[in-house]
Amino acid sequence: MAADGSASPGGHSSHDGLELVKKTRSTALYVRPAASLAQYNRVAILDCPVAFRKNWERDQNEERVDPMNRINKKDMDRIKTELSREFLRIFTRELQDKGGYTVVDSGAEDVLILRPAIINLDVTAPDKMTPGMSETFTTGAVSMTLYLELYDSVSSQIIARFVDADGDREGTMMVANRVTNKAAADRVLTRWADRLRKGLDDAHRETGAKAPTD
């Protein structure tokens, strides 16, 4: 990022005019040249669709002999709905409650639109809460990729695109159930929300603009 919070020159351009400013094995960040986040004090968060990794259902059911324990569409829909709800809750907490960036549902000059999607979701040991089932242990409960686009709410112009693959990093063996899976997902969501909040804070700080919490 340049000193004014805009994209630095010299990256590769995307089809929609964004410039690649960061690329690692798991992360890619594209920013519109000369664009800045410093003017945005409020955010509008769109619904977050969720998609499992390819063949996740098939792989989960390969060793599930008991039909009552097999993963089905209802289970997948429940997980997707709960994760989408958690995304909104975590991002609202980090951006609004901690960062002071008020979450709104209408556009204005200081409103930044977040258009998220979670793809390649992999829940290692989903909990069907079937009576009599033995406990499952895992060291990594959840992995997923965030595909996040940022738009100006007045012009509808895309400002940035962020893609990041992340997963649970606890590293200790623990029981996998609905509670622990949610906790693992929340840790990943919190890291993403924290990075966005810090990016907004940095843009305000670098340009001398007043941040919401100042």
Side-chain angles (χ1 to χ4, degrees), residues 57-165:
E57 181 183 8
R58 183 202 66 187
D59 294 344
Q60 282 291 324
N61 287 329
E62 278 186 344
E63 298 181 3
R64 295 172 183 260
V65 179
D66 186 351
M68 293 293 293
N69 192 39
R70 292 179 66 84
I71 298 296
N72 55 41
K73 184 178 183 301
K74 184 178 179 181
D75 298 317
M76 296 174 71
D77 287 344
R78 171 183 57 80
I79 294 171
K80 289 191 290 186
T81 297
E82 291 176 354
L83 183 56
S84 180
R85 186 183 302 124
E86 279 301 286
F87 180 94
L88 177 59
R89 185 182 73 83
I90 295 293
F91 271 67
T92 298
R93 183 190 70 191
E94 293 296 312
L95 294 175
Q96 178 171 274
D97 301 345
K98 185 178 293 186
Y101 298 95
T102 305
V103 175
V104 298
D105 57 10
S106 59
E109 289 186 356
D110 69 335
V111 175
L112 179 69
I113 296 178
L114 312 185
R115 183 182 180 187
I118 290 175
I119 59 176
N120 296 327
L121 173 63
D122 188 1
V123 183
T124 304
D127 182 10
K128 284 183 63 72
M129 300 182 70
T130 304
M133 287 300 300
S134 60
E135 293 181 331
T136 300
F137 292 82
T138 182
T139 57
V142 174
S143 64
M144 51 190 171
T145 298
L146 174 64
Y147 187 94
L148 178 65
E149 294 181 331
L150 309 181
Y151 289 85
D152 180 87
S153 66
V154 174
S155 68
S156 298
Q157 185 178 66
I158 187 170
I159 298 170
R161 178 179 299 114
F162 175 69
V163 183
D164 184 64

Side-chain angles (χ1 to χ4, degrees), residues 41 98-101 200-201 203-206 208-214:
N41 295 318
K98 185 178 293 186
Y101 298 95
L200 286 165
D201 289 346
H204 284 81
R205 189 177 302 111
E206 290 168 358
K210 184 177 180 181
T213 53
D214 290 345

